[in-house]
């Protein structure tokens, strides 16, 4: 009997469509104490940069109604440490590993992509051109189609594995960004990253976050994510990994209807660390209720009802 949760991202076959969103799962060490990471369709690790980054000053996380603000600032140990210490440990779970990469200059991205894609355990690169929490790099690459095109093309030329580009929602035309990176050779898209937001402390009258602004994630952004994936799906021919406020199996189905071929769960992991195994288990029930055989049949089906 065929696994009805199996999905394909190009040539990469996932046992189910559920993976953690980059930055919301670390390297999985804490979650591995709670459940077997082999349950996941793929594992997406924190953004990796060429050199170690300590991140932004604290406080850098704040709750919001139905969401969370963060301004971590791409804290990570650097590509050499990730290759030496994290990827060998993660490989024991025999689950596809996706590495999110970031940088300040195009040369940084290219250097990280060249090193990390040569590691046998890495199945895919997620090119982060959309982090709103760093002063240089990140979102500066993700708001101009020409710049995004050039960066994607440069990374594709050195990468030995498929490259998925993580798009920013902080643009006026998400479709032009998606088509630009597809023309540059992107193998797929991840969308969406966080929206830029802020909060104030009434006692101090200052912004809550030390960085003043941060990225808003969680259920509050789900309708925006669905709309953007829906718009992009009909204008590209490459797979989309959808994300943005997913907390349940029903949410996953909505992202498939909009056009996703797989999904990533982010903020919900902080509320319930078991949320991903629960969603995987619950998907069978929802598919039964909908009378659907394979979850992959639902990708883009929302477009059939205009």
């Amino acid at each position: 009997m065929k696994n009805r949760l199996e999905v394909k991202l190009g040539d990469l076959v996932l046992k189910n469509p559920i993976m953690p969103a980059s930055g919301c799962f670390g390297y999985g060490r804490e979650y591995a104490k709670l459940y077997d990471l082999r349950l996941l369709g793929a594992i997406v690790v924190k953004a990796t940069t060429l050199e170690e980054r300590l991140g932004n000053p604290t406080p850098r996380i704040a709750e919001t109604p139905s969401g969370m603000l963060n301004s971590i600032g791409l804290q990570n140990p650097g590509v050499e440490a990730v290759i030496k210490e994290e990827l060998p440990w993660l490989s024991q779970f025999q689950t596809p590993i996706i590495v999110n990469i970031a940088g300040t200059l195009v040369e940084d991205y290219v250097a990280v992509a060249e090193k990390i894609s040569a590691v046998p355990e890495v199945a895919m690169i997620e090119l982060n051109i959309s982090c709103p929490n760093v002063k240089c790099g990140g979102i500066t690459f993700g708001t101009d189609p020409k710049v995004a095109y050039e960066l994607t093309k440069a990374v594709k030329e050195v990468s030995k594995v498929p490259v998925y580009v993580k798009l920013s929602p902080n643009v006026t035309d998400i479709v032009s960004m998606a088509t630009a990176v597809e023309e540059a050779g992107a193998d797929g898209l991840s969308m969406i990253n966080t929206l830029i937001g802020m909060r104030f402390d009434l006692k101090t009258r200052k912004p809550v976050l030390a960085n003043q602004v941060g990225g808003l994630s969680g259920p509050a952004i789900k309708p925006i994510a669905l709309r953007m994936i829906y718009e992009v799906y009909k204008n590209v021919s490459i797979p989309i990994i959808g994300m943005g406020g997913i907390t349940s199996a029903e949410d996953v189905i909505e992202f498939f209807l909009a056009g996703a071929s797989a999904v990533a769960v982010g903020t919900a992991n902080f509320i319930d660390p078991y949320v991903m195994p629960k969603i995987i288990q619950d998907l069978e029930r929802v598919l039964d209720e909908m009378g659907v055989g394979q979850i992959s049949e639902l990708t883009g089906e929302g477009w059939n009802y205009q």
Side-chain angles (χ1 to χ4, degrees):
M1 181 177 175
K2 188 176 181 182
N3 173 12
R4 65 198 303 201
L5 299 185
E6 181 180 291
V7 296
K8 291 183 178 179
L9 296 175
D11 294 330
L12 181 63
V13 178
L14 307 185
K15 63 176 82 73
N16 65 65
I18 308 301
M19 63 188 81
S22 176
C24 299
F25 198 68
Y27 299 98
R29 291 182 182 273
E30 294 80 6
Y31 292 90
K33 298 175 183 176
L34 304 176
Y35 60 85
D36 189 347
L37 301 189
R38 290 177 180 84
L39 292 173
L40 303 176
I43 297 171
V44 187
V45 302
K46 283 176 62 64
T48 299
T49 54
L50 187 58
E51 306 291 344
E52 178 185 11
R53 288 181 62 97
L54 299 178
N56 292 330
T58 59
R60 51 190 188 182
I61 290 179
E63 288 190 47
T64 69
S66 299
M68 180 181 76
L69 283 170
N70 91 83
S71 64
I72 304 300
L74 302 178
Q75 178 182 355
N76 78 97
V79 66
E80 296 295 345
V82 171
I83 291 173
K84 183 179 178 181
E85 298 170 14
E86 304 298 344
L87 297 183
W89 181 83
L90 278 170
S91 67
Q92 69 179 294
F93 299 104
Q94 300 179 326
T95 297
I97 299 171
I98 300 172
V99 179
N100 183 295
I101 69 169
T104 302
L105 305 170
V106 172
E107 291 79 7
D108 297 339
Y109 281 94
V110 169
V112 176
E114 195 164 20
K115 287 176 182 287
I116 209 84
S117 69
V119 179
E121 290 88 351
V122 176
M124 184 189 295
I125 285 175
E126 184 177 67
L127 185 61
N128 187 348
I129 63 170
S130 50
C131 179
N133 300 320
V134 290
K135 292 182 179 177
C136 299
I139 200 169
T140 57
F141 291 103
T143 53
D144 183 327
K146 291 182 180 177
V147 176
Y149 174 94
E150 294 298 335
L151 176 62
T152 303
K153 189 170 184 291
V155 169
K156 273 293 294 180
E157 287 175 354
V158 301
S159 178
K160 299 171 181 61
V161 297
V163 176
Y164 277 52
V165 181
K166 190 167 187 175
L167 299 181
S168 169
N170 300 294
V171 295
T172 54
D173 183 359
I174 190 72
V175 173
S176 67
M177 295 300 302
T179 55
V181 300
E182 181 182 32
E183 289 171 7
D187 299 281
L189 303 169
S190 294
M191 55 188 296
I192 58 173
N193 207 321
T194 56
L195 290 119
I196 299 174
M198 69 185 304
R199 284 197 61 199
F200 287 88
D201 184 320
L202 298 188
K203 293 181 179 177
T204 64
R205 303 183 185 183
K206 296 179 180 178
V208 169
L209 299 177
N211 193 47
Q212 299 186 344
V213 299
L216 177 65
S217 60
I221 73 168
K222 179 185 146 191
I224 300 168
L226 289 171
R227 187 266 295 176
M228 289 189 163
I229 292 169
Y230 184 76
E231 289 180 352
V232 165
Y233 173 74
K234 274 295 182 180
N235 288 280
V236 301
S237 57
I238 51 180
I240 299 171
I241 301 174
M243 64 201 75
I246 293 173
T247 65
S248 67
E250 285 81 1
D251 288 343
V252 173
I253 299 300
E254 281 198 73
F255 275 77
F256 269 74
L257 294 175
S261 294
V263 298
V265 179
T267 306
N269 288 294
F270 300 118
I271 301 168
D272 178 2
Y274 295 99
V275 67
M276 289 193 287
K278 288 179 180 176
I279 288 174
I280 293 167
Q281 188 174 25
D282 222 19
L283 276 172
E284 294 273 3
R285 173 188 61 79
V286 178
L287 291 178
D288 284 341
E289 291 174 355
M290 298 178 69
V292 174
Q294 292 292 132
I295 192 169
S296 57
E297 298 171 10
L298 295 173
T299 297
E301 195 182 350
W303 271 96
N304 295 332
Y305 305 97
Q306 294 293 303

